[in-house]
Amino acid sequence: MDKTYYYINAEDIKFLQKYLNSVSPSGYESESQNIWKNYIKNYVNKITTDLYGTVVGILNPNNSPYKLIIEAHVDEISWYVNYISHNGMIYVSRNGGIDHQIATSKKIVIHTKQGLIYGVFGWPAIHTRKASSEEKSPNIDNIFIDVGAHNKKEVEKMGIHVGCLITYPDQFFIINKNYFVCRSLDNKIGGFIISQVLKKIVQDKINLKFGLYVVNSVQEEVGLKGAKIISNILNPNIVIVTDVTHDTSTPMIDKKIHGDIKCGCGPVIVYSTSIHRNLRELLINTANKNKLSFQHLVTSINTGTDTDAFAYSNKGVLSALISIPLKYMHTTVEMVHKNDVEKTVQLIFETIKEINHNEKNFFIY
């Protein structure tokens, strides 16, 4: 086994599990951010947090005017309480792109000032529904939560009101020794990856010639908002973003539209107008040089990730995106392959070393 290669160990899994099991709805990411911040604190010179909660770990901050960011986002999709009916049923509104079709029969947690209230997304029994084309499908207008209350007053007595956050309590587990499964792998797996890159740089005693900024952004799921703020604050020269993309090998996905991507076949290097070709080619050349398998994906006009926010901020930022193949995005059983995670860590690490050896070719401002 190559000692220079990154492999996930038992301690890494402990951190990943704790991080994934914590809650981080868009706009309310502090619980997960505190876990992440506590993990990276021994590997950085300084940690800062902006007004909206984006956390930045800084390594080698004062030895160079140049700044390289590796970035992920911490926020996960969730629901809001939107309406409470007279008979105590709760109707919801989205916080991010959460899927209404998977909601029915799911257990939920409502976050109130009085504590956590458990409930379920109810649905009429099959015996009571109209058959064939007349049957209604789950929809944002008809899904509802039952917390065991008889009326609206009883719901409100529990501390539930319009605006309370609703999350799923699903927890991390591993399938077949290789697949990590949990809600919020989009994109806490990215936060895990950049923390491991940072750890490897420190443990391998890489003497950086620039400042490395390890950024865990907030509010990506509601419009790339955290990335927009932090890019203006930091004014970086180079950004390598990590996020997830669709595994298209699963049923009912058209590869002609969504590309040919599969878990276990390596990280995904993305082509898009917001991605600078020089940095993308560096990723490709580095992967080939280090014999790291990878996949190609075209997203055309934009990536839909924080890459777009960074690329066009300030005077423009040299930006690239490495995506991790993910099954069942925006569900409670998102899945990533362990090997893809390890190879992504290694690819970012090796790319940073390449930039460090040839910094004058990349820091052009």
Side-chain angles (χ1 to χ4, degrees), residues 79-95:
W79 300 102
Y80 284 116
V81 173
N82 189 52
Y83 172 73
I84 305 169
S85 71
H86 71 278
N87 62 344
M89 296 301 174
I90 296 168
Y91 292 82
V92 296
S93 180
R94 289 186 175 94
N95 184 21

Side-chain angles (χ1 to χ4, degrees), residues 5-8 12-13 16 20 172 178-180 185 188-197 242-244 263-268 292-293 322-326 335-349:
Y5 196 85
Y6 170 77
Y7 296 97
I8 296 172
D12 301 331
I13 293 291
L16 178 61
L20 287 171
F172 171 84
N178 284 314
Y179 277 100
F180 302 150
L185 279 165
K188 285 184 186 170
I189 197 61
F192 173 78
I193 286 167
I194 60 176
S195 75
Q196 301 308 296
V197 174
T242 62
D243 210 321
V244 294
C263 286
C265 295
V268 179
L292 296 168
S293 59
I322 302 175
S323 293
I324 297 89
L326 177 84
M335 297 173 62
V336 297
H337 198 286
K338 176 174 171 281
N339 290 346
D340 294 335
V341 176
E342 292 173 336
K343 287 177 181 175
T344 304
V345 171
Q346 193 69 28
L347 177 55
I348 297 173
F349 172 75

Side-chain angles (χ1 to χ4, degrees), residues 174-354:
I174 299 174
I175 290 179
N176 195 25
K177 299 180 181 178
N178 284 314
Y179 277 100
F180 302 150
V181 184
C182 198
R183 41 157 261 281
S184 78
L185 279 165
D186 176 12
N187 180 35
K188 285 184 186 170
I189 197 61
F192 173 78
I193 286 167
I194 60 176
S195 75
Q196 301 308 296
V197 174
L198 170 65
K199 182 176 76 169
K200 186 165 175 56
I201 286 170
V202 172
Q203 290 181 342
D204 287 18
K205 298 180 180 178
I206 306 300
N207 183 24
L208 295 178
K209 300 173 185 176
F210 48 82
L212 178 66
Y213 292 71
V214 187
V215 176
N216 213 11
S217 294
V218 298
Q219 297 193 37
E220 188 270 355
E221 297 288 358
V222 291
L224 321 181
K225 293 174 181 175
K228 292 174 184 175
I229 295 171
I230 203 65
S231 190
N232 286 323
I233 293 171
L234 296 179
N235 194 17
N237 304 97
I238 299 173
V239 176
I240 300 173
V241 173
T242 62
D243 210 321
V244 294
T245 193
H246 303 288
D247 177 317
T248 61
S249 70
T250 56
M252 299 188 291
I253 299 178
D254 189 341
K255 292 180 181 179
K256 296 189 298 296
I257 296 172
H258 298 286
D260 190 1
I261 303 297
K262 188 173 184 178
C263 286
C265 295
V268 179
I269 297 176
V270 181
Y271 292 72
S272 182
T273 51
S274 60
I275 292 168
H276 199 284
R277 62 185 180 277
N278 292 348
L279 191 54
R280 183 189 64 237
E281 290 305 304
L282 175 64
L283 290 172
I284 292 170
N285 293 338
T286 302
N288 288 329
K289 178 180 177 181
N290 290 276
K291 298 180 180 178
L292 296 168
S293 59
F294 65 94
Q295 303 174 78
H296 298 268
L297 178 68
V298 172
T299 64
S300 191
I301 297 172
N302 56 57
T303 70
T305 72
D306 283 337
T307 314
D308 304 332
F310 281 108
Y312 303 119
S313 64
N314 304 310
K315 296 179 181 179
V317 179
L318 204 66
S319 301
L321 171 62
I322 302 175
S323 293
I324 297 89
L326 177 84
K327 294 182 180 182
Y328 320 123
M329 192 182 295
H330 286 203
T331 73
T332 57
V333 290
E334 294 178 336
M335 297 173 62
V336 297
H337 198 286
K338 176 174 171 281
N339 290 346
D340 294 335
V341 176
E342 292 173 336
K343 287 177 181 175
T344 304
V345 171
Q346 193 69 28
L347 177 55
I348 297 173
F349 172 75
E350 297 294 345
T351 301
I352 289 173
K353 286 203 301 181
E354 290 291 331

Side-chain angles (χ1 to χ4, degrees), residues 58-98:
I58 310 170
L59 183 63
N60 196 29
N62 300 317
N63 294 355
S64 170
Y66 300 122
K67 299 176 182 177
L68 186 151
I69 286 178
I70 54 176
E71 192 261 7
H73 74 83
V74 64
D75 59 311
E76 63 178 308
I77 53 177
S78 63
W79 300 102
Y80 284 116
V81 173
N82 189 52
Y83 172 73
I84 305 169
S85 71
H86 71 278
N87 62 344
M89 296 301 174
I90 296 168
Y91 292 82
V92 296
S93 180
R94 289 186 175 94
N95 184 21
I98 195 161

